[in-house]
């Protein structure tokens, strides 16, 4: 691996180590940061399973890392956690012309943009699904034969679509309050229209429900959704994912969590359930 | 209680509720914010024990609330968590003339300033030890007969000194990387000199080691200190607290945690031990 990983921070945490790295990304053409939690079981030749966490709108690699309380569980289960940023950043990177939070910086939507001026830097699918995994495999004690992926909101959309678009790669897939069908909500219409252009057929290649309808599959799926989430009805629409999974025969564990909202307090409350769900599937995954 | 509590935020969290309140403080003459976690055991006439968390330099009520992962344990143990801010804030509040992080805003040091221009607003001891407890008792389902107090760094100093200066109030006292003796470190000399003036005898009334030397007591004490903490030798000096407790016969559980630093990753790693230590003592505390 030619890329140099620069260590931004290292903090001992639950017997393991929370690290933040910076590196030059060939895909985005920018410096990118990501967070990596190494559980105590990693190192000295031992590789551990990896769980990816893709964050939501406005987030960086930091939100999940400092707010979710996931390291305690990951240390217990021997899981590495990788949390990427949500978009390219830097002076050369264009942002939403109105400075809105739901497009541009912090809102890469885990797609490779095809439209100017976004296409040069906004290549978050290739970054998260190809460049960063290769870097993680080369630089960290990660067992890439045992990977899970989860995410929140825009990152829930990212986790499910990347799993559907890379069949067989992820033994476990889950989400907190995912955008279930971006082609059917204002956030998704704005982002996919902006990054991919007006042809809605292109959008469907990055829509969990449309991908499932088109035959893409994951072994099973776990989703938590707060009932007091402000974005539930207009943006998240878990019933669309529920219907798509039901039609396709994908076992979906959809838990409607009474009174929970869209915040990291919601994620923190249930991240242990998700990580245990991932660990169980990663334990059973065939070793490469 | 005449003061009106304004709700800034409410988030469901681990079956309880994380709240942030704003209110007008008579002591500081400013609006103050504090965080309160109500465990699921609270409410409908049931009052629960309270653990106070006093934060360190630069912090607000938010740091512990979003970074420590304490709500999970507090929900399990039925503890209310109260996290105050670390100083008065607002346009009328003077700050360090050089804008340093270790004096003024975010650095109230849990004392009542006697020196101009600080004495008008910087009344954090009276706020934390008198005004806020009365407000909590009147507005929240808190059992004030069962209180514990803990803190980090400057807040560890605050927790221990407030417990020593209010004998019998706190059944449990603990700290993460506390400033053990502010009269013997640069942070303390600057802050106590600024807020209390040049007479070092006044400083000793807010120095854990000097208070213990002068006869003040807590039942016992638990302290975690990371060995990789950048502030360990110049500022924190746990050996001074160790010596003072030994001379006074105060049982001190001082754990030197190998490789841990001064961050909330350190606090998060051990907050469960602290809360269980508090819960055990609060369970035994005589009901008022």
């Amino acid at each position: 691996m030619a890329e140099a990983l620069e260590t931004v921070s290292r903090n001992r945490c639950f017997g393991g180590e929370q690290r933040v790295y910076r590196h030059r990304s060939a895909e985005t053409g920018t410096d990118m940061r990501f967070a990596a939690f190494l559980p105590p079981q990693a190192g000295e030749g031992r590789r551990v399973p990896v769980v990816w966490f893709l964050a939501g709108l406005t987030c960086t690699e930091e939100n999940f890392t400092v707010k979710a309380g996931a390291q305690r569980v990951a240390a217990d289960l021997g899981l590495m956690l990788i949390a990427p940023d949500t978009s390219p950043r830097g002076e050369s990177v264009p942002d939403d012309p109105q400075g809105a939070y739901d497009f541009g910086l912090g809102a890469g939507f885990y797609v490779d943009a095809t439209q100017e001026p976004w296409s040069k830097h906004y290549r978050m699918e290739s970054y998260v699904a190809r460049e960063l995994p290769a870097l993680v495999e080369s630089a960290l004690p990660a067992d890439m034969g045992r990977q899970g992926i989860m995410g929140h909101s825009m990152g829930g959309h990212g986790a499910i679509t990347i799993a559907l678009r890379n069949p067989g790669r992820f033994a476990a897939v889950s989400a907190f309050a995912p955008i279930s069908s971006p082609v059917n909500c204002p956030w998704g219409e704005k982002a996919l229209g902006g990054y991919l252009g007006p042809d809605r057929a292109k959008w469907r290649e990055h829509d969990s429900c449309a991908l499932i309808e088109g035959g893409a599959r994951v072994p099973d799926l776990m989703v938590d959704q707060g009932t007091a989430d402000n974005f539930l009805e207009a943006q998240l629409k878990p019933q669309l994912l529920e219907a798509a999974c039901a039609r396709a025969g994908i076992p979906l564990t959809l838990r409607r969590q009474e009174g929970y909202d869209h915040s990291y307090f919601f994620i923190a409350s249930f991240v242990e359930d998700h990580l245990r769900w991932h660990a169980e599937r990663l334990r059973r995954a065939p070793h490469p």
Side-chain angles (χ1 to χ4, degrees), chain A residues 82-277:
Chain A
I82 302 287
D85 200 349
T86 57
S87 79
R89 296 177 196 273
E91 285 184 17
S92 62
V93 178
D95 192 10
D96 182 274
Q98 278 79 47
Y101 73 94
D102 57 2
F103 191 79
L105 299 182
F109 254 81
Y110 305 102
V111 299
D112 291 348
T114 58
Q115 307 297 299
E116 294 293 342
W118 318 106
S119 53
K120 183 174 180 193
H121 296 296
Y122 284 82
R123 297 187 50 79
M124 288 303 291
E125 182 184 28
S126 288
Y127 174 71
V128 165
R130 280 178 287 281
E131 184 179 20
L132 189 53
L135 185 57
V136 165
E137 181 167 28
S138 75
L140 297 175
D143 176 357
M144 304 304 275
R146 297 175 187 265
Q147 292 185 70
I149 191 165
M150 58 167 72
H152 172 229
S153 196
M154 173 184 75
H157 142 76
I160 300 171
T161 54
I162 287 176
L164 288 165
R165 289 166 61 83
N166 293 273
R169 184 188 298 183
F170 300 99
V173 188
S174 75
F176 300 89
I179 300 174
S180 293
S181 181
V183 311
N184 286 301
C185 74
W187 279 342
E189 290 176 346
K190 177 177 177 180
L192 299 184
Y195 296 131
L196 304 179
D199 179 3
R200 284 183 165 248
K202 300 288 185 193
W203 304 6
R204 292 174 56 83
E205 297 170 16
H206 297 276
D207 182 285
S208 296
C209 296
L211 285 164
I212 292 170
E213 202 178 300
R217 292 291 179 268
V218 288
D220 53 4
L221 191 53
M222 175 172 175
V223 170
D224 273 321
Q225 173 61 60
T227 64
D229 187 322
N230 284 335
F231 304 111
L232 177 54
E233 294 191 15
Q235 305 280 8
L236 305 174
K237 304 185 180 180
Q239 69 278 9
L240 299 182
L241 187 61
E242 200 170 29
C245 285
R247 280 193 297 267
I250 296 176
L252 167 67
T253 304
L254 171 59
R255 309 191 304 181
R256 290 183 169 85
Q257 302 288 4
E258 189 64 30
Y260 285 84
D261 60 26
H262 203 62
S263 72
Y264 271 83
F265 293 116
F266 158 62
I267 297 174
S269 298
F270 299 106
V271 75
E272 177 162 3
D273 293 354
H274 282 246
L275 287 172
R276 293 197 181 282
W277 195 85

Side-chain angles (χ1 to χ4, degrees), chain A residues 49 145-146 171-172 219-220 276-287:
Chain A
R146 297 175 187 265
D220 53 4
R276 293 197 181 282
W277 195 85
H278 280 252
E280 191 183 321
R281 281 153 184 77
L282 293 169
R283 213 177 292 123
R284 296 197 311 242
H287 228 282

